[in-house]
Amino acid sequence: MSTSTSAGMRLRQAMEAENPLQIVGTLNALHALLATEAGFRAIYLSGGGLSAGTLGLPDLGLITLQDVLTEVERITYVTDTPLLVDVDTGLGPSAFNIARTVKSLIRAGAAGLHIEDQTGSKRCGHRPGKELVSPEEMIDRIKAAVDARTDSHFVIGARTDALASEGPEGAINRALQYQQAGADFLFAEGVTNLEIYHQFVQALHIPVLANITEFGVTPMFTREELANVGVRMILYPLSAFRAANKAALEVYQHIRKQGTQRDMLSRMQTREELYRTIGYYAYEQKLDALFHTKKSSL
């Protein structure tokens, strides 16, 4: 999709236009279109969702840069809605890998990324046993990402998983250092109450992101509750993914048991709804016009 502004600039504009900015996870291009149709100003590609949804593997740092880029390019081809991307610990062990990740994402049309302070053999942010790198190593990751930007508007977020092992004081101390290193926003993972979000907001002068993922340690805080403590960005990384997976299993089980899908039709997206979302008729009209032109010139 062509536009006069960079993807990074569009994400920054969305952050100014909506406070707090709701960012919803889209694991593929069709879901990106559906999220845009629903009115979201920003969308997200989850590393854990990509690992499970595309590769059928757990969120343990198994995805590669190419895995990520494939989906980013598919999503940014069909929508200008700015895409924030999860890159785990940088998608490589060195500063050069992180730089390659940043440059490649910008070239692929992403609007921003977040990078985390877990070790390379990372775990899901809502699981026990997470191990962190030192603040100094994470600072190097952030600096490498900032230095690699070919678009100054590209957004770089720092995620800290330190709450589980270092508590609010340790996590905020890390966050302050990450801010100083050049992070554009702070992703506080595993937050268990609103007061902790408020403490992050009070300590920092960059936006704080709340990750409101289901079935984890963070309660399902509302947009209003998070706005009241100063959170500027709210992430719903896997909500549609979880719902789609549940629905798919139920349909499979129903067809297997009943031998027909007739009773499930009311729960399905219709052909007309799908065609509207993907712009099917516009493509068909273009095809008709193209062939008409070709025939007329013979």
Side-chain angles (χ1 to χ4, degrees):
M1 306 288 286
S2 61
T3 181
S4 59
T5 59
S6 74
M9 174 59 79
R10 295 198 301 278
L11 179 54
R12 291 176 186 270
Q13 290 171 341
M15 292 169 65
E16 291 298 320
E18 182 176 303
N19 184 13
L21 176 65
Q22 292 183 296
I23 307 170
V24 70
T26 57
L27 262 292
N28 55 55
L30 178 58
H31 281 198
L33 289 172
L34 291 170
T36 300
E37 186 177 319
F40 285 94
R41 297 173 184 263
I43 54 179
Y44 177 72
L45 182 61
S46 159
L50 179 62
S51 186
T54 301
L55 304 179
L57 294 172
D59 183 19
L60 295 171
L62 298 173
I63 58 174
T64 67
L65 175 58
Q66 192 54 54
D67 293 328
V68 173
L69 289 176
T70 296
E71 296 308 319
V72 169
E73 289 170 350
R74 289 170 175 169
I75 290 170
T76 60
Y77 181 78
V78 298
T79 182
D80 290 334
T81 304
L83 175 67
L84 178 66
V85 181
D86 176 4
V87 300
D88 289 343
T89 61
L91 302 177
S94 74
F96 295 117
N97 293 110
I98 293 170
R100 182 168 180 241
T101 294
V102 171
K103 293 177 186 295
S104 298
L105 285 177
I106 293 173
R107 191 174 295 115
L113 61 78
H114 66 75
I115 189 168
E116 65 197 57
D117 57 9
Q118 287 198 58
T119 60
S121 53
K122 61 152 287 177
R123 295 172 185 252
C124 169
H126 291 251
R127 293 291 300 157
K130 295 183 291 185
E131 294 185 16
L132 307 184
V133 298
S134 67
E136 292 75 19
E137 184 170 343
M138 179 60 174
I139 287 168
D140 287 343
R141 290 176 181 175
I142 297 168
K143 287 183 175 180
V146 170
D147 182 67
R149 278 194 290 214
T150 53
D151 171 15
S152 61
H153 300 298
F154 186 76
V155 178
I156 294 174
R159 168 177 146 175
T160 183
D161 285 71
L163 276 169
S165 57
E166 300 179 7
E169 184 176 351
I172 290 172
N173 181 57
R174 281 177 174 263
L176 287 167
Q177 295 179 71
Y178 302 166
Q179 173 182 267
Q180 183 65 30
D184 294 309
F185 70 87
L186 192 284
F187 181 149
E189 180 65 304
V191 176
T192 55
N193 62 69
L194 290 169
E195 177 56 29
I196 294 175
Y197 281 126
H198 186 61
Q199 291 175 27
F200 275 102
V201 170
Q202 290 293 101
L204 301 169
H205 61 70
I206 56 176
V208 171
L209 177 147
N211 182 27
I212 308 301
T213 188
E214 302 82 16
F215 313 112
V217 301
T218 302
M220 300 287 97
F221 298 123
T222 67
R223 178 175 55 187
E224 290 72 22
E225 288 172 330
L226 292 165
N228 286 339
V229 294
V231 166
R232 290 278 308 281
M233 305 164 74
I234 309 173
L235 180 62
Y236 312 88
L238 295 169
S239 304
F241 175 69
R242 297 187 204 280
N245 291 342
K246 182 74 169 180
L249 179 59
E250 290 177 353
V251 169
Y252 294 147
Q253 291 173 334
H254 184 89
I255 293 173
R256 182 65 173 168
K257 182 178 180 179
Q258 303 298 331
T260 178
Q261 71 274 47
R262 284 183 308 200
D263 293 338
M264 303 297 283
L265 292 180
S266 64
R267 299 170 62 180
M268 295 183 187
Q269 180 189 50
T270 66
R271 184 184 298 271
E272 185 63 30
E273 288 167 339
L274 174 62
Y275 284 0
R276 184 186 67 231
T277 297
I278 62 177
Y280 178 89
Y281 295 119
Y283 277 89
E284 200 171 62
Q285 290 165 7
K286 180 69 174 178
L287 192 61
D288 290 343
L290 176 64
F291 279 113
H292 176 71
T293 300
K294 283 185 176 180
K295 290 176 182 177
S296 297
S297 64
L298 293 178

